[in-house]
């Protein structure tokens, strides 16, 4: 069992829901990004999703797109993203890190080389939004062979016919996208999310966490209560974009985590 499995087992034993936070690596620059990432565990974050900047993030809304552009403009690359993870690991060997992004930078780096480098940097899981289950041989299966979890997205349009393919070879947890559309585009509704999460959990023993459309502690509590945890990304990234000091961003994250953990 890797760090992701261990963390969810710990949370289950404690009777707590998971709080997962997404930030874009290198936004607005390497040093300030690292400062925020280093502060996430103390703010109550159970799993860190680290965004990999990319020039064509088709599943992301304006907030995440602009974060990626700022990171790229500041010189962020896949190599520097892994360097940021290595720096974080110098002070934290326990918090799981999931690298979230698109396949092109990984393909350009070379899959075998990427997996070796990611493992050495302390990456525990991958979310690659533009690789469907039909392409598992590209990255999913090699990642699993290296002990790196491959986390799949399920959405409101993932029907019962499609769900088995989505769950096949998925590990770590299942990320349920609570809305149809791009990141940051709507507000999640627990009454709609709950039945969908129950449907997914009936088909897998993996934890299910819910993301997209969560912006305040009350929503974090409500949505986490329908699942095994929740994810907040755009709302955190927006505060970084506004130039808030790291301590203020982390205070906001701590409030969200408190909400999720109260579920």
């Amino acid at each position: 069992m890797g760090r992701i499995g261990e963390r969810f087992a710990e949370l289950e034993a404690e009777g707590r829901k998971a709080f997962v936070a997404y930030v874009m690596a290198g936004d607005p620059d390497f040093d300030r990004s690292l400062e925020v990432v280093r502060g996430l565990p103390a703010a109550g974050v159970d799993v860190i999703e680290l965004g990999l900047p990319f020039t064509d993030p088709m599943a992301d809304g304006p907030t995440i797109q602009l974060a990626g552009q700022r990171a790229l403009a500041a010189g962020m690359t896949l190599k520097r993203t892994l360097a940021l993870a290595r720096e974080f690991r110098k002070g934290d060997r326990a918090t799981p890190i999931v690298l979230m992004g698109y396949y092109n930078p990984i393909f350009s780096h070379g899959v075998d080389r990427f997996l070796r480098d990611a493992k050495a940097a302390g990456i525990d899981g991958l979310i690659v939004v533009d690789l469907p289950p039909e392409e598992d041989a590209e990255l999913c299966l090699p990642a699993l062979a290296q002990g790196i979890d491959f986390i799949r997205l399920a959405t409101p349009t993932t029907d019962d016919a499609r769900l088995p393919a989505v769950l096949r070879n998925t590990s770590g947890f299942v990320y349920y996208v609570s809305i149809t559309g791009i990141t940051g585009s709507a507000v999640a509704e627990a009454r709609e999310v709950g039945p969908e999460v129950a449907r997914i959990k009936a088909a897998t023993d993996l934890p299910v966490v819910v993301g997209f459309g969560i912006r305040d502690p009350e929503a974090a509590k409500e949505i986490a209560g329908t699942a095994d945890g929740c994810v907040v990304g755009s709302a955190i990234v927006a505060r970084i974009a506004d130039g808030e000091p790291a301590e203020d961003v982390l205070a906001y994250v701590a409030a969200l985590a408190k909400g999720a953990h109260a579920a």
Side-chain angles (χ1 to χ4, degrees), residues 103-220:
Y103 185 48
N104 185 278
I106 295 169
F107 178 79
S108 297
H109 194 79
V111 168
D112 291 343
R113 179 185 173 200
F114 165 75
L115 291 173
R116 288 195 302 270
D117 292 347
K119 189 75 174 178
I123 300 297
D124 302 290
L126 301 174
I127 300 174
V128 183
V129 299
D130 55 346
L131 273 184
E134 289 75 16
E135 304 297 335
D136 274 358
E138 285 285 328
L139 180 62
C140 173
L141 296 180
L144 294 175
Q146 292 296 320
I148 298 175
D149 285 319
F150 201 88
I151 297 149
R152 195 83 70 186
L153 304 179
T155 75
T157 61
T158 305
D159 61 18
D160 289 339
R162 181 62 174 169
L163 186 59
V166 170
L167 296 176
R168 185 179 63 245
N169 298 324
T170 297
S171 63
F173 60 89
V174 179
Y175 186 141
Y176 179 67
V177 177
S178 62
I179 59 174
T180 301
I182 56 176
T183 57
S185 61
V187 176
E189 296 287 348
R191 66 178 180 273
E192 298 174 1
V193 169
E196 290 300 302
V197 170
R199 182 170 66 91
I200 296 168
K201 288 183 71 65
T204 181
D205 293 329
L206 291 171
V208 179
V209 300
V210 179
F212 286 44
I214 303 169
R215 299 170 184 169
D216 56 55
E218 293 75 19

Side-chain angles (χ1 to χ4, degrees), residues 23-43 45 48 50 76 83-85 87-89 92 236 240 243-251 253:
V23 293
M24 178 66 71
D27 176 34
D29 57 48
F30 186 97
D31 291 338
R32 283 181 283 181
S33 178
L34 180 58
E35 183 181 4
V36 170
V37 173
R38 279 175 168 161
L40 293 176
V45 173
I48 297 170
L50 191 60
M76 208 62 180
L84 190 149
E87 287 298 314
F88 172 83
R89 280 282 173 243
D92 188 312
I236 298 170
I240 295 171
E244 289 191 11
E247 57 265 29
D248 291 348
V249 173
L250 293 169
V253 171

Side-chain angles (χ1 to χ4, degrees), residues 20-95:
V20 182
Y22 170 98
V23 293
M24 178 66 71
D27 176 34
D29 57 48
F30 186 97
D31 291 338
R32 283 181 283 181
S33 178
L34 180 58
E35 183 181 4
V36 170
V37 173
R38 279 175 168 161
L40 293 176
V45 173
D46 299 299
V47 179
I48 297 170
E49 282 186 11
L50 191 60
L52 176 60
F54 180 51
T55 54
D56 188 21
M58 59 187 178
D60 294 310
T63 299
I64 303 293
Q65 287 188 22
L66 290 170
Q69 290 176 16
R70 289 191 298 271
L72 291 169
M76 208 62 180
T77 61
L78 187 152
K79 289 181 181 179
R80 285 180 59 76
T81 298
L82 296 180
L84 190 149
R86 286 196 300 273
E87 287 298 314
F88 172 83
R89 280 282 173 243
K90 291 178 180 179
D92 188 312
R93 304 296 302 175
T95 305

